[in-house]
Amino acid sequence: MQMSLRLLVRVSAAVVAGLLPAGTWAIPVPVRRPQEPMHRDFVVKGPDGKILAQAEETAVVQKDLVRSRLTFRFIDGSLDDEEAVFTQAGVFHLISDHHVQKGPSFPTPMDIMIDVPSHTVTWHETHFGKDR
């Protein structure tokens, strides 16, 4: 599960990074139902029913600008925290995304920042105590 999640994140970031300079290739996603403000707390359980993580999901909406955050705090002290900022005026438009994974559940800690207006993706991973 951990490996497939990391792989999914890497592939997703690579795809987004590849599309940033050529934004005209992206197909607009129409807003059918605008995101509304929300706050949810929930737990993540394994197949055996054991609690693995506490999670919180929030969305703060200011006109057409949305800040959406999803945070998982694992029982082993690990953290998976992602905040996306986007607009929803007719079509969804990503402005930025910041994703952090660290702790025992994530053997390779990472910190990824996507900044669409500046066409930059910053990716930090720690291998054997060294930042890459």
Side-chain angles (χ1 to χ4, degrees):
M1 176 73 174
Q2 294 170 356
M3 182 58 120
S4 62
L5 179 60
R6 285 199 331 254
L7 179 60
L8 176 64
V9 169
R10 286 182 179 187
V11 170
S12 298
V15 168
V16 170
L19 292 177
L20 285 176
T24 57
W25 296 346
I27 297 172
V29 177
V31 176
R32 292 186 185 162
R33 190 176 58 138
Q35 173 69 55
E36 296 178 356
M38 65 121 163
H39 180 259
R40 295 182 186 141
D41 291 315
F42 53 97
V43 295
V44 179
K45 296 181 180 180
D48 59 359
K50 185 177 177 183
I51 294 176
L52 303 175
Q54 302 283 334
E56 178 181 30
E57 181 179 21
T58 60
V60 176
V61 180
Q62 298 170 321
K63 296 187 182 183
D64 289 330
L65 184 72
V66 179
R67 290 184 182 281
S68 176
R69 189 168 189 173
L70 179 59
T71 304
F72 293 91
R73 296 185 190 285
F74 292 84
I75 300 302
D76 70 359
S78 297
L79 175 71
D80 185 320
D81 186 25
E82 182 167 19
E83 182 178 41
V85 179
F86 58 92
T87 60
Q88 57 180 355
V91 296
F92 290 105
H93 177 76
L94 181 67
I95 296 171
S96 66
D97 187 86
H98 187 198
H99 192 176
V100 175
Q101 290 181 332
K102 59 184 176 181
S105 291
F106 304 102
T108 305
M110 66 178 186
D111 186 339
I112 303 169
M113 178 67 188
I114 300 169
D115 184 352
V116 176
S118 68
H119 298 281
T120 60
V121 175
T122 306
W123 186 311
H124 291 276
E125 287 185 350
T126 304
H127 288 276
F128 306 108
K130 294 183 179 180
D131 187 39
R132 297 191 329 177

